Structure formats: C-alpha cells, structure tokens
C-alpha cells in the first residue's frame, strides 16, 4: 500500500457535505488521475470507502474528495465528518477509474446529490476540449447541493434543480429524443440512474455512462441455478473449486489467495481480475457492455463463468 496521505484541510461544501484535501506528507507529487477516477480510502476505524476525486487533475500535489454524511450508512462517512481532522493521515489505494470521460463533441451530464463529485472535473475537461455540454444537477434542497459556487462560472450551461422547490428532474425533456454524437454521463442515487436508463432505451448502446454508489436491489440468487466452476490461477497453476453457493472471490479468499476487494457488490471495481481463458457471466455494474463483450477481465465478487472452467491472471 502507498504511503499514507495527510489530511491538509476540510471544508463545508453544503448541508451534509464536506470536501477533504489530501496531500503527500513530504510534499511530493501524487500519482496522476483523469476525470471520473476515485480513491479507495482506508479509515482508522477499519472501514474502506471509495470517494470520487473532484479537484483539478493538473494539480499533482493534492487530491480533493467530496464526502456526504450518510445517516443510514455503515459509518465511513460519519467517521470522516466527526473524527477526521487536518493533520490526520489516511491509508489509500488508487486512483482507479471505471467512469472515464470518453472523447465526444457533445455531452449531457446528469448529477444527483453527491453524484456531482465525479462530474466536476469532467465539466472542466469538456470545457477545455471545446465540447458542447450541459449539466442538469438535482438535489433534495438548494442548501444540500454542494459545489454550486464553482458551477456558477459556467452560466446557463448548468441547471440547478432542487427538488423541494422545482420537483423532479425533467428527464423526458432532456433525454426523450436521442442526440447524435452525444454522450450522457450520470451519477447519483439509484432511482435517478434507473430513470435515466429507462429514458435512454432508444439511444445508442454506448451513449450512457453511469457510476453507482450501491448495487441495485436484486433477487437473491438461487444456488440451485448455479454450477460449480473450476478456477485456475495462471501464475501458480493452482486450481480452486468454486461451489454453486459461493462467489469466486470468497472461494479464493477461503483458499488463502490474497485478492484485492472491497464492496463485494460489483460496483467498486476493486476485485477486477484478468481473464486468460474462459467465458465470463458478467454480473457487475462497473464494466461497459463493450468491456464485457471483450471478456478479458471480470469482477470476482459477483461475476461467474458461463462454462465450468476459468483461467485467471492470478
């Protein structure tokens, strides 16, 4: 794991949202990142969380994260808000990016709540590239919507839409008609993502890019509908059998194989692993349809094999 990062500053960005500024303790440059990237932050209370980088990718001496207090969460955001202070250090991994901004002459950005964080550097990149773009940004209340001061410089390209005064976002007006040469980037709570996906059913398959904070509610999978899988680790030649009631990730961990992982829900990308041989039954929410079709990587926590054998780059 890299050297811990130093918390240099905390700032209140809105009701319930703090920005967190992290730097190298010796003032060295930090690893580069691109819009859409996130940092895996490992907290002293034993929890690990992914937070989107929302600063300037050209500033190699600091990372900025936006953290929403989640009253019903598992305690990670509460720790940041209540315990973490300037002068503290945090362990981390990354940056890693599964929400990359692909080149396009035009973009529609849709953000809900804390989903504005990965969108912020995307706007700056789109602006610098001379692309046509607009942002529709919704929140529960105006006071809960973070970083609106920074967004003001973009003028009419940005539409702020607090739900308590403006109602629900007009997604039909924004997305009802497919637009040529336009990519849509959306981040926010699951109801927003589902609504955007529904309204983009007639758009080209690769037009929509989303980032999820949690996996959608899904029926519990029945082990009776699964099958045993032989997983071969290419680097060691070792074989691990995965039963129908066990994930590939859990089987590897039980066998003593050290695999990087976190969410176990197919949304964070931590357990992404190279596939050397075999067809994957992709069940994650990270890879694009094109990446899934390529079949050269998989998320071990939720995805399985179409057949009975997989060879992994482990």
């Amino acid at each position: 794991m890299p050297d811990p990062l130093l918390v240099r500053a905390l700032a209140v960005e809105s009701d319930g949202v703090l920005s967190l500024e992290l730097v190298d303790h010796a003032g060295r440059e930090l690893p580069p990142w691109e819009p859409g990237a996130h940092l895996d932050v490992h907290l002293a209370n034993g929890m690990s969380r992914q937070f989107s980088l929302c600063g300037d990718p050209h500033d190699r001496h600091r990372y900025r994260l936006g953290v929403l207090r989640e009253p019903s969460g598992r305690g990670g955001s509460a720790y940041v808000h209540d315990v973490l202070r300037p002068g503290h250090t945090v362990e981390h991994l990354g940056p890693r990016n599964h929400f990359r901004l692909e080149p396009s002459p035009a973009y529609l950005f849709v953000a809900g709540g804390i989903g504005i964080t990965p969108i912020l550097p995307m706007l700056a990149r789109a602006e610098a590239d001379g692309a046509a773009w607009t942002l529709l940004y919704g929140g529960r209340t105006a006071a809960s919507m973070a970083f609106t001061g920074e967004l003001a410089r973009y003028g009419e390209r940005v539409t702020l839409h607090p739900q308590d005064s403006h109602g629900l976002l007009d997604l039909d007006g924004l997305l009802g008609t497919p637009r040529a040469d336009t990519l849509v980037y959306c981040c926010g709570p699951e109801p927003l993502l589902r609504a955007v996906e529904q309204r983009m059913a007639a758009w080209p398959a690769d037009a929509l890019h989303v980032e999820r904070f949690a996996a959608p509610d899904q029926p519990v999978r029945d082990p009776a509908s699964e099958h045993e899988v032989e997983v071969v680790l290419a680097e060691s030649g070792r074989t691990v059998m995965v039963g129908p009631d066990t994930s590939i990730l859990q089987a590897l961990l039980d066998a003593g194989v050290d695999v990087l992982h976190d969410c176990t829900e197919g949304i964070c990308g931590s357990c992404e692993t190279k596939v050397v041989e075999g067809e994957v039954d992709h069940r994650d929410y990270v890879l694009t349809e094109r990446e899934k079709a390529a079949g050269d990587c998989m998320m071990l926590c939720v995805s399985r094999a179409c057949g009975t054998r997989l060879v992994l780059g482990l």
Side-chain angles (χ1 to χ4, degrees):
M1 188 172 289
D3 290 339
L5 295 178
L6 177 69
V7 179
R8 186 165 70 179
L10 291 168
V12 176
E13 300 295 346
S14 69
D15 288 351
V17 176
L18 289 179
S19 63
L20 179 68
E21 185 177 310
L22 304 175
V23 298
D24 181 84
H25 64 88
R28 293 169 296 197
E29 284 193 344
L30 299 171
W33 60 280
E34 293 292 325
H38 71 265
L39 206 64
D40 297 337
V41 177
H42 299 265
L43 303 168
N45 64 355
M47 293 187 173
S48 177
R49 292 292 181 271
Q50 292 81 41
F51 298 117
S52 296
L53 288 159
C54 59
D56 179 2
H58 296 101
D59 184 349
R60 294 289 304 279
H61 287 90
R62 68 168 185 151
Y63 291 148
R64 187 179 68 163
L65 312 174
V67 182
L68 169 69
R69 178 190 285 276
E70 297 273 11
S72 60
R74 293 178 289 173
S77 65
Y79 181 89
V80 172
H81 278 251
D82 298 337
V83 179
L84 209 59
R85 293 295 179 265
H88 291 181
T89 59
V90 294
E91 301 283 351
H92 74 289
L93 288 174
R96 293 186 292 111
N97 200 341
H98 290 285
F99 193 43
R100 293 179 178 84
L101 186 67
E102 302 292 340
S104 176
Y107 300 95
L108 296 177
F109 297 104
V110 183
I114 196 62
I116 189 62
T117 51
I119 301 295
L120 285 174
M122 292 185 177
L123 303 182
R125 173 64 58 82
E127 183 81 357
D129 290 346
W133 65 267
T134 58
L135 165 67
L136 180 59
Y137 176 22
R140 292 179 290 102
T141 65
S144 73
M145 298 172 67
F147 306 106
T148 54
E150 295 181 23
L151 294 171
R153 69 177 183 268
Y154 295 122
E156 294 183 355
R157 296 197 201 189
V158 173
T159 300
L160 303 181
H161 199 100
Q163 184 174 345
D164 64 337
S165 59
H166 291 67
L168 297 176
L169 298 177
D170 181 16
L171 297 178
D172 290 321
L174 183 69
L175 305 171
T177 302
R179 304 187 192 184
D181 301 321
T182 299
L183 297 182
V184 178
Y185 279 78
C186 180
C187 185
E190 185 59 29
L192 172 63
L193 301 186
R194 287 199 301 265
V196 168
E197 289 171 336
Q198 291 168 1
R199 286 160 177 80
M200 291 194 62
W203 287 62
D206 292 335
L208 177 61
H209 299 256
V210 302
E211 183 169 59
R212 283 181 155 86
F213 298 136
D217 292 334
Q218 296 286 352
V220 177
R221 295 189 182 279
D222 181 6
S225 66
E226 307 289 355
H227 59 270
E228 188 176 57
V229 178
E230 176 188 12
V231 174
V232 180
L233 310 184
E235 294 181 4
S236 65
R238 185 179 177 186
T239 296
V240 176
M241 299 305 299
V242 180
D245 58 348
T246 305
S247 69
I248 293 177
L249 172 64
Q250 190 59 55
L252 292 177
L253 294 174
D254 291 344
V257 182
D258 186 17
V259 181
L260 182 65
H261 66 285
D262 188 19
C263 74
T264 70
E265 296 181 313
I267 61 170
C268 76
S270 296
C271 64
E272 180 178 353
T273 300
K274 180 181 178 182
V275 176
V276 179
E277 182 181 324
E279 186 178 355
V280 180
D281 177 6
H282 292 285
R283 304 179 185 182
D284 67 272
Y285 304 98
V286 176
L287 299 176
T288 65
E289 292 305 315
R290 184 180 301 172
E291 290 169 333
K292 291 177 180 179
D296 56 2
C297 67
M298 68 182 297
M299 305 300 158
L300 300 180
C301 64
V302 293
S303 297
R304 296 185 67 85
C306 294
T308 59
R309 185 173 185 270
L310 281 176
V311 181
L312 303 178
L314 293 172

